[in-house]
Amino acid sequence: AQSVTQLGSHVSVSEGALVLLRCNYSSSVPPYLFWYVQYPNQGLQLLLKYTSAATLVKGINGFEAEFKKSETSFHLTKPSAHMSDAAEYFCAVRNNYGQNFVFGPGTRLSVLP
Amino acid sequence: DSGVTQTPKHLITATGQRVTLRCSPRSGDLSVYWYQQSLDQGLQFLIHYYNGEERAKGNILERFSAQQFPDLHSELNLSSLELGDSALYFCASSAGQGADTYEQYFGPGTRLTVT
């Protein structure tokens, strides 16, 4: 069975500071990994995805994530936070055996001026 | 705009009632997924349809059912509603199913309030 944990239900950073949102997964087979962002009162939007190509994945809005198999992690980073990054971020995993997405509990990012 | 549409945006109803939520996937997408998002349970997968056929069930209650029609739109039916069913219901679509890497595209959601 697959599962996703996201350390920290709420993360606060100052504008211009590094953003680091943690995601660890468990999967018995090679996973596909995704980060989604949800702005208030909106649906989820795909930020980036890992599909067994490059381990460092670049996404939209300056975000990137690195797949580390040895650590079963897929942490999301952005070098410099912007006020508009304030949102809820979800990590998700699926495998290539037909199982559906499993989402983590989400991390709410606050950006302080 | 993801290309996935959901209606209605908001729904307020009473306990014991039945409602139908509608989803139209992105043009060309064959898979439709339904999710429930609540504060205490997070984002929970309910059910997956591919080209009209049920493919997987998640944490879907027996009071809930869904179907996907020949034109690929989907409906989620919620019956004998309880206060605890109040949540955001999302539909997502993707091009394929199973062994693929296709990401899911989410609709804006339907906010259901049961009073």
Side-chain angles (χ1 to χ4, degrees), chain A residues 37-110:
Chain A
V37 60
Q38 184 180 27
Y39 297 102
N41 300 313
Q42 294 188 26
L44 279 71
Q45 179 183 1
L46 180 70
L47 271 179
L48 49 79
K49 63 180 180 181
Y50 166 76
T51 59
S52 76
T55 56
L56 183 62
V57 181
K58 294 189 183 300
I60 62 171
N61 302 337
F63 284 93
E64 62 182 37
E66 186 172 9
F67 172 69
K68 292 186 176 180
K69 184 178 178 181
S70 61
E71 298 177 9
T72 61
S73 69
F74 191 56
H75 301 331
L76 181 71
T77 60
K78 181 174 180 177
S80 177
H82 192 271
M83 298 296 288
S84 60
D85 295 326
E88 185 105 21
Y89 291 81
F90 294 90
C91 182
V93 63
R94 75 176 298 180
N95 64 33
N96 60 353
Y97 286 92
Q99 292 185 20
N100 292 291
F101 275 52
V102 173
F103 282 86
T107 297
R108 181 168 299 278
L109 175 66
S110 297

Side-chain angles (χ1 to χ4, degrees), chain B residues 99-111:
Chain B
D100 60 49
T101 61
Y102 297 131
E103 59 268 28
Q104 296 184 5
Y105 294 87
F106 281 75
T110 292
R111 182 173 293 281

Side-chain angles (χ1 to χ4, degrees), chain B:
Chain B
D1 184 354
S2 67
V4 178
T5 60
Q6 289 187 249
T7 57
K9 285 192 70 174
H10 302 277
L11 199 48
I12 301 175
T13 189
T15 54
Q17 295 298 305
R18 172 189 170 95
V19 297
T20 297
L21 313 183
R22 183 188 168 104
C23 168
S24 293
R26 292 188 321 153
S27 177
D29 282 359
L30 299 178
S31 273
V32 169
Y33 305 79
W34 286 97
Y35 293 88
Q36 179 193 59
Q37 186 180 38
S38 61
L39 282 174
D40 54 344
Q41 296 287 326
L43 195 61
Q44 298 283 317
F45 165 68
L46 296 178
I47 198 164
H48 169 208
Y49 275 84
Y50 175 77
N51 202 21
E53 293 189 9
E54 182 185 303
R55 279 290 184 253
K57 270 187 173 179
N59 300 318
I60 188 166
L61 300 172
E62 285 192 12
R63 301 183 284 108
F64 296 0
S65 65
Q67 53 184 327
Q68 186 179 27
F69 295 87
D71 67 353
L72 300 177
H73 90 271
S74 178
E75 293 181 356
L76 179 67
N77 300 295
L78 315 176
S79 62
S80 303
L81 285 167
E82 301 175 0
L83 295 177
D85 297 327
S86 296
L88 261 174
Y89 291 85
F90 286 108
C91 163
S93 75
S94 71
Q97 58 137 5
D100 60 49
T101 61
Y102 297 131
E103 59 268 28
Q104 296 184 5
Y105 294 87
F106 281 75
T110 292
R111 182 173 293 281
L112 174 66
T113 302
V114 182
T115 63

